[in-house]
């Protein structure tokens, strides 16, 4: 039996950020990780001389977002971020920059002019209703979409839903696309993503971490205060012993007493670790839908993707997001080769072998010359978001029915996506644990 101030279960980005903040606030932290590595789906590793990430990533809201706030408050070493560049849209083998501004949208020739005008009208109607206090959390994107738009336009918007929400246009709530960027109550509600998509000058606050995602993990580890954090890998948690509060955490190797537990695994797995959770709480967790993706990493002997930025493939089946990471950091590939990640959305149930073959075929069909330049192929089946932000889908929360048990991660906070959704959840957790009086500094 070993005593700790806080036990963090899981060493994904949410768990590591929580451990860093708590340790810098004076707490003694023990991290328990079932795998042999740290970082979860936010890390990098080597494949045949290439440095691949766990799926392509763009780190967003770097100017004022939650990760920036956590870095300012707790990092002693900060990763270097390279500007992410433009987003390009590929439709019918024609590639154009994503239409961020009104002028760009009105001249965006990949979508019919009639559709563009209809969507502009729908946009302003939506913003008007938002500012009037309309609740969009239970209204789907398809409900406000003009009925007469073309299939190309519908697929373009469906792509946005899958990659921003994790579900289709028929299940994606409008609230996700008008996600308010700020924490301030005085800010105008819902002026966020739709505003960004059509009224601003582009993704100016996004970046790619030099050295890959691993550089973020390495910066967190290097920022841990001396002798405040212990990390035990290869130690899966079997039970969390509770009464009205957590009493201990039991693993295959040991049993640990603690004052507080931060759980960063799948919220839907909590009923497997804790007995006698309330039935309504369990019921909500069972309706959480995890987002599944396939990434194919290709090492290429030739620079096939020359544009500085990523590509949105609207015609592909399944939909794809293409990120040539060596355009940001050439050191990720050997000998001047190009490393490109192709991220595909996946249905709930799929045949792994068949979807890999189909996705690879989509790449070759879209870029016919690419196959003769392939030097390395690497497949990753991932869960980039632990909960899709969809209508009638469950979602966890930072608070739990157990007084000193908190959850963090992308299934606990409905803001942003990826690393930033994790960071938002950690910011919310820190606010809550402080208000609960469970974050008093210790010497």
């Amino acid at each position: 039996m070993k005593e700790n101030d806080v036990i963090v279960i899981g060493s994904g980005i949410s768990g590591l950020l929580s451990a860093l903040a708590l340790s810098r606030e004076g707490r003694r932290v023990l991290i328990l990780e079932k795998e042999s590595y740290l970082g979860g789906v936010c890390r990098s590793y080597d494949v045949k001389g290439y440095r691949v990430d766990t799926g392509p990533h763009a780190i967003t809201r770097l100017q004022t977002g939650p990760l920036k706030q956590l870095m300012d408050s707790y990092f002693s070493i900060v990763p270097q971020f390279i500007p992410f560049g433009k987003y390009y849209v590929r439709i019918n083998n024609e590639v154009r920059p994503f239409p961020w501004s009104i002028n760009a949208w009105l001249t965006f020739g990949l979508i019919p002019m009639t559709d563009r005008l209809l969507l502009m009208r729908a946009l302003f109607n939506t913003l008007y209703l938002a500012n009037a206090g309309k609740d969009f959390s239970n209204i789907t994107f398809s409900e406000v979409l003009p009925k007469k738009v073309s299939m190309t336009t519908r697929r373009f918007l469906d792509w946005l839903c899958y990659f921003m929400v994790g579900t289709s246009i028929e299940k994606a709530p409008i609230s996700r696309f008008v996600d308010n960027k700020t924490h301030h109550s005085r800010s105008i509600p819902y002026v966020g993503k739709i505003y960004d998509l059509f009224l601003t000058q582009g993704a100016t606050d996004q970046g790619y971490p030099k050295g890959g995602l691993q550089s973020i993990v390495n910066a967190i580890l290097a920022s841990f205060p001396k002798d405040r954090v212990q990390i035990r890998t290869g130690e899966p948690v079997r039970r969390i012993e509770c009464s009205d509060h957590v009493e201990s955490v039991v693993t295959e190797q040991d049993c640990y007493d603690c004052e507080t537990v931060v759980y960063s695994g799948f919220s839907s797995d909590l009923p497997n670790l804790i007995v006698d959770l309330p039935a309504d709480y369990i019921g909500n967790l069972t309706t959480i839908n995890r987002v599944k993706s396939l990434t194919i990493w290709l090492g290429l002997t030739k620079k096939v993707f020359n544009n500085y930025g990523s590509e949105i493939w609207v015609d592909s089946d399944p939909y794809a997001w293409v990120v040539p990471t060596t355009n940001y950091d050439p050191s990720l590939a050997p000998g001047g080769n190009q490393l490109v990640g192709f991220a595909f959305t996946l249905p709930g149930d799929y045949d792994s072998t068949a979807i890999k073959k189909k996705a690879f075929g989509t790449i070759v069909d879209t870029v016919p010359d690419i196959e003769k330049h392939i030097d390395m192929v690497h497949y990753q089946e991932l869960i980039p978001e632990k909960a899709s932000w969809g209508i009638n889908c469950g979602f966890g929360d930072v608070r739990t029915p157990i007084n000193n048990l908190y959850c963090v991660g992308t299934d606990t906070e409905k803001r942003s996506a990826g690393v930033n959704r994790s960071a938002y959840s950690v910011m919310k957790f820190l606010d809550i644990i402080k208000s609960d009086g469970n974050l008093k500094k210790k010497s």
Side-chain angles (χ1 to χ4, degrees):
M1 187 76 73
K2 299 179 181 180
E3 295 184 359
N4 304 273
D5 293 331
V6 182
I7 292 178
V8 174
I9 299 174
S11 71
I13 187 65
S14 307
L16 291 176
L17 287 170
S18 299
L20 175 60
L22 293 168
S23 63
R24 295 295 292 266
E25 294 280 355
R27 310 296 280 182
R28 293 170 300 165
V29 180
L30 171 64
I31 299 174
L32 298 174
E33 170 54 55
K34 66 180 179 180
E35 305 291 352
S36 60
Y37 53 82
L38 306 176
V41 291
C42 182
R43 64 188 180 94
S44 311
Y45 55 92
D46 295 327
V47 178
K48 297 181 179 179
Y50 294 85
R51 188 73 164 166
V52 303
D53 296 324
T54 44
H57 285 67
I59 310 302
T60 62
R61 304 187 180 182
L62 283 171
Q63 294 175 358
T64 58
L67 182 62
K68 176 65 161 58
Q69 294 179 53
L70 290 169
M71 289 191 297
D72 289 345
S73 297
Y74 299 113
F75 283 45
S76 56
I77 295 176
V78 177
Q80 178 183 350
F81 292 96
I82 303 160
F84 197 73
K86 294 181 178 180
Y87 286 77
Y88 292 89
V89 181
R90 181 186 286 264
I91 297 177
N92 295 325
N93 286 323
E94 187 176 351
V95 180
R96 292 194 184 183
F98 190 94
W100 296 93
S101 67
I102 289 178
N103 181 61
W105 178 248
L106 291 175
T107 58
F108 185 57
L110 300 186
I111 288 176
M113 172 62 83
T114 302
D115 289 3
R116 286 176 261 153
L117 294 174
L118 287 171
L119 288 173
M120 285 297 298
R121 182 165 60 181
L123 163 67
F124 286 110
N125 287 341
T126 301
L127 289 177
Y128 173 79
L129 292 173
N131 290 337
K134 182 73 173 180
D135 180 11
F136 291 127
S137 60
N138 292 308
I139 300 175
T140 67
F141 198 98
S142 61
E143 289 179 67
V144 300
L145 182 66
K147 303 300 182 185
K148 296 181 180 180
V149 297
S150 67
M151 182 56 67
T152 295
T153 299
R154 177 171 284 273
R155 285 184 63 84
F156 173 68
L157 298 173
D158 200 38
W159 187 101
L160 292 177
C161 290
Y162 270 110
F163 278 87
M164 292 176 64
V165 183
T167 191
S168 69
I169 197 171
E170 287 79 17
K171 295 181 180 179
I174 286 295
S175 55
R176 172 62 179 98
F177 290 85
V178 284
D179 171 27
N180 182 16
K181 280 189 173 184
T182 75
H183 290 292
H184 305 303
S185 59
R186 65 180 181 274
S187 60
I188 300 173
Y190 294 125
V191 178
K193 275 298 172 186
I194 285 184
Y195 185 91
D196 286 345
L197 290 179
F198 300 120
L199 302 180
T200 64
Q201 295 304 308
T204 57
D205 64 345
Q206 300 187 13
Y208 179 80
K210 186 174 177 60
L213 289 177
Q214 191 64 37
S215 65
I216 301 177
V217 174
N218 292 345
I220 295 173
L221 298 177
S223 299
F224 283 154
K226 185 178 180 181
D227 300 328
R228 286 284 183 185
V229 181
Q230 296 183 52
I231 302 173
R232 296 180 67 91
T233 57
E235 189 162 346
V237 170
R238 294 305 181 203
R239 295 191 315 278
I240 302 174
E241 299 285 359
C242 303
S243 53
D244 62 336
H245 63 280
V246 173
E247 296 176 345
S248 61
V249 175
V250 180
T251 71
E252 290 183 347
Q253 290 90 338
D254 215 330
C255 179
Y256 303 91
D257 279 345
C258 61
E259 296 177 2
T260 302
V261 169
V262 181
Y263 177 77
S264 71
F266 292 101
S267 294
S268 52
D269 287 344
L270 274 176
N272 299 326
L273 302 175
I274 303 173
V275 298
D276 297 328
L277 285 170
D280 58 343
Y281 183 73
I282 294 175
N284 173 61
L285 297 182
T286 60
T287 62
I288 292 175
N289 288 336
R290 301 174 184 179
V291 178
K292 300 175 183 178
S293 75
L294 168 70
T295 295
I296 301 178
W297 287 99
L298 295 184
L300 305 173
T301 57
K302 175 186 175 182
K303 189 174 183 180
V304 174
F305 294 88
N306 295 306
N307 288 328
Y308 186 80
S310 62
E311 288 190 9
I312 294 167
W313 285 9
V314 175
D315 295 331
S316 68
D317 183 16
Y319 295 133
W321 182 42
V322 183
V323 183
T325 55
T326 45
N327 286 10
Y328 308 114
D329 186 353
S331 69
L332 300 174
N337 289 5
Q338 187 171 47
L339 176 63
V340 187
F342 301 80
F344 298 88
T345 61
L346 297 182
D349 298 314
Y350 63 92
D351 178 270
S352 179
T353 301
I355 201 71
K356 288 176 182 177
K357 182 178 180 180
K358 185 177 183 181
F360 185 83
T362 289
I363 296 172
V364 174
D365 290 342
T366 305
V367 189
D369 258 0
I370 200 171
E371 198 163 13
K372 62 187 178 185
H373 301 295
I374 294 176
D375 178 53
M376 180 275 294
V377 181
H378 181 64
Y379 296 89
Q380 298 170 333
E381 292 177 71
L382 303 166
I383 300 177
E385 306 282 4
K386 294 190 291 184
S388 67
W389 187 345
I391 299 291
N392 298 324
C393 293
F395 222 91
D397 198 354
V398 170
R399 283 198 182 279
T400 74
I402 311 300
N403 289 333
N404 58 336
L405 171 65
Y406 304 91
C407 291
V408 292
T410 56
D411 54 1
T412 67
E413 172 63 18
K414 289 184 177 181
R415 301 199 65 184
S416 194
V419 171
N420 261 299
R421 192 192 291 188
S422 292
Y424 271 124
S425 79
V426 174
M427 294 284 289
K428 182 177 179 180
F429 156 67
L430 293 173
D431 288 342
I432 290 174
I433 194 174
K434 288 175 183 176
S435 69
D436 289 348
N438 290 334
L439 193 57
K440 295 177 181 177
K441 283 198 174 185
K442 295 192 173 185
S443 59

